[in-house]
Amino acid sequence: MSRVRQSLNFASRQRRGFTLIELLLVLIILAVLASVAVPIYTGRSKKAKIDATKASISNIETAIDTFESEQGRFPESLDELVHPPEAQDGSQPTRYLKALPTDGWGHPFFYKVPGNVNTDRYDIWSAGPNGIDENGSGDDITSWVKEN
């Protein structure tokens, strides 16, 4: 019995690390998992940024509509939502936004009044994932429904 224990102890003392084949096998498994997980994550990340950008456009639209109902006109720039004009009666002007939001990629929004698409109102759009302003076309994210 003691010889069996000695041989087991000897075998366990000799094997202290991983073999090269075991390490390569672990690396291959990790690479396969990464190749499956990375595309899933990047697709969801892009969709989350697009959804956040659409929500920001909606918030800006609400602020612009509130500005228009109180001031009787649309703001000339989005900056007027953060720094509104002086009130006629000398009271503190209403701030419609605390700060100008950026799109999901950190780019500023574009605003045009009257709009090219909404000629009686305004257009708001983001340059989208590529960061290039295409005047609401291409991958730009817009306040209006684009035709495909």
Side-chain angles (χ1 to χ4, degrees), residues 9-19:
N9 285 339
F10 179 73
S12 66
R13 273 190 249 140
Q14 278 187 335
R15 184 174 167 96
R16 292 189 184 258
F18 295 105
T19 65

Side-chain angles (χ1 to χ4, degrees), residues 21-99:
I21 292 176
E22 290 170 329
L23 289 174
L24 288 174
L25 184 61
V26 168
L27 288 174
I28 290 171
I29 291 170
L30 289 174
V32 169
L33 289 174
S35 69
V36 170
V38 168
I40 291 171
Y41 171 74
T42 56
R44 288 192 182 173
S45 175
K46 183 178 178 182
K47 182 173 177 354
K49 289 179 180 181
I50 290 171
D51 291 345
T53 300
K54 288 178 181 179
S56 291
I57 287 175
S58 179
N59 290 338
I60 294 170
E61 286 180 310
T62 301
I64 290 172
D65 292 340
T66 304
F67 181 101
E68 192 267 336
S69 70
E70 292 179 2
Q71 303 287 332
R73 65 177 179 83
F74 291 115
E76 294 174 18
S77 70
L78 293 178
D79 191 55
E80 275 191 282
L81 300 174
V82 179
H83 307 289
E86 292 293 322
Q88 298 273 351
D89 60 3
S91 63
Q92 185 70 18
T94 304
R95 282 179 53 183
Y96 302 93
L97 291 173
K98 289 183 179 182

Side-chain angles (χ1 to χ4, degrees), residues 1-17:
M1 188 70 123
S2 119
R3 281 186 170 232
V4 172
R5 276 194 187 145
Q6 283 179 344
S7 67
L8 287 175
N9 285 339
F10 179 73
S12 66
R13 273 190 249 140
Q14 278 187 335
R15 184 174 167 96
R16 292 189 184 258

